[in-house]
Amino acid sequence: MSRRMLSRPDLGPKPPLGYTQSRIDRAAERRLDASWLAARMNDASARAYVIGGETIVLKKSGGLHDPAFTPDEARALAPAVETAFLGLHDGAARFGIGITPSSAEALKARDDLFVTDLRSIAVQGLVEAGHLPPLAEAKAILHWHARHRFCSNCGTPTKVVDAGWKRICPSCKVEHFPRTDPVVIMLAVRGDRGLLGRSGRFAATMWSCLAGFVEPGEAIEDAVRRETLEEAGVRCGRIKYLHSQPWPFPMSLMIGCYAEALNDNLTMDNNELVDLRWFTKDECAAMLMRRHPDNLTTPPPVAIAHHIIREWVESDDAIL
């Protein structure tokens, strides 16, 4: 029999993982068809997400706010800096339209609009959940455009092509494509205990999984082992993949894993963490439900760390 306590509370229905399960057909084969894209932009069913730097523009509503504007509505808000074709939703085109951060800030004065950041939208559930994946797509691609206006090879201003999915240099002809930064996020497990840490950026009570960027020439499994050793002094054996999550802050892919911890003693990297410790499954269950006696918490359900911790809590001891 598992060592898991039979009295552990029921955590209830599993929440969805934020920014995943997109219903958008990216229709990449249409990105080169300028006439088709122009027709879709003028179609009555087309909708656009308006993003100004780190903020999203929403239409206020008595219930959930609406992030989807008609192209004409979007163009009337502020001049577009960049436009990207996101794909099709039930055959209707979806676009991401970037405006300047100052333009987005000015829109906060309007009574019919609500301007806020994507993290707040997701955590507070301000829009229908189906909008989160295309919002993440739009924010990531528009962020890439904002920071890649010049050729990294020769410094010449680049041009946007392929419906926002490529920039080309008119001088040296180099093609530039959007990039996603892979990040491993892992729960090191040893028996009935899991390893969580605290970053100085976290809320005072929140504990989460360790995480770090995958380096060039490095496999996912090697990155999990390296980051856990660097941040916690814990050597790991077996690695098990769980889920991935697009994380548009600004444009990462979180790769969720479990790691078999081979030692208990901890050596914390003080440059990365402010605290580090082992937690039992029962402690983590209480944290997930916001019932920990010391008011300790895990990340909210929108984050992959929440799901990694929860699936371990609800598993038997043979998760690896």
Side-chain angles (χ1 to χ4, degrees), residues 135-146:
L135 280 172
E137 180 186 352
K139 183 177 182 298
I141 188 67
L142 292 170
H143 177 277
W144 176 76
H145 280 295

Side-chain angles (χ1 to χ4, degrees), residues 5-232:
M5 292 179 60
L6 297 178
S7 60
R8 181 166 294 130
D10 182 2
L11 299 180
K14 289 185 178 179
L17 176 57
Y19 314 116
T20 64
Q21 300 180 10
S22 178
R23 294 173 59 193
I24 296 288
D25 171 5
R26 297 202 175 200
E29 71 280 3
R30 291 292 194 175
R31 293 173 184 170
L32 300 178
D33 191 339
S35 60
W36 183 87
L37 289 164
R40 298 290 76 70
M41 180 64 83
N42 292 316
D43 191 282
S45 66
R47 293 294 182 269
Y49 299 104
V50 180
I51 298 176
E54 292 300 312
T55 57
I56 314 293
V57 183
L58 310 175
K59 291 186 281 188
K60 281 185 179 179
S61 174
L64 297 176
H65 298 316
D66 184 4
F69 294 81
T70 68
D72 285 342
E73 289 174 333
R75 285 189 286 257
L77 293 175
V81 178
E82 309 287 1
T83 299
F85 171 62
L86 305 179
L88 301 172
H89 181 272
D90 293 336
R94 294 291 182 266
F95 296 89
I97 293 181
I99 62 177
T100 65
S102 59
S103 295
E105 184 69 22
L107 293 174
K108 290 182 178 180
R110 286 183 43 168
D111 293 335
D112 60 331
L113 301 175
F114 187 72
V115 182
T116 188
D117 64 282
L118 180 56
R119 194 185 305 266
S120 296
I121 291 171
V123 172
Q124 298 174 30
L126 299 181
V127 304
E128 192 272 322
H131 286 299
L132 291 180
L135 280 172
E137 180 186 352
K139 183 177 182 298
I141 188 67
L142 292 170
H143 177 277
W144 176 76
H145 280 295
R147 284 156 179 77
H148 292 80
R149 302 195 186 284
F150 297 89
C151 178
S152 59
N153 188 54
C154 72
T156 300
T158 53
K159 293 183 177 180
V160 179
V161 296
D162 292 8
W165 289 91
K166 183 168 72 174
R167 298 183 76 101
I168 58 172
C169 177
S171 178
C172 69
K173 309 306 179 185
V174 168
E175 298 178 331
H176 302 275
F177 296 90
R179 293 290 185 265
T180 294
D181 298 319
V183 178
V184 289
I185 180 166
M186 53 277 176
L187 180 67
V189 174
R190 188 161 170 82
D192 193 45
R193 297 184 301 162
L195 181 61
L196 301 179
R198 276 193 20 81
S199 164
R201 302 184 301 275
F202 290 175
T205 61
M206 193 175 80
W207 291 74
S208 186
C209 301
L210 303 185
F213 288 99
V214 179
E215 295 187 344
E218 186 173 48
I220 291 170
E221 296 85 352
D222 292 335
V224 169
R225 296 186 182 101
R226 175 184 55 78
E227 285 287 343
T228 306
L229 182 61
E230 289 177 355
E231 294 190 1

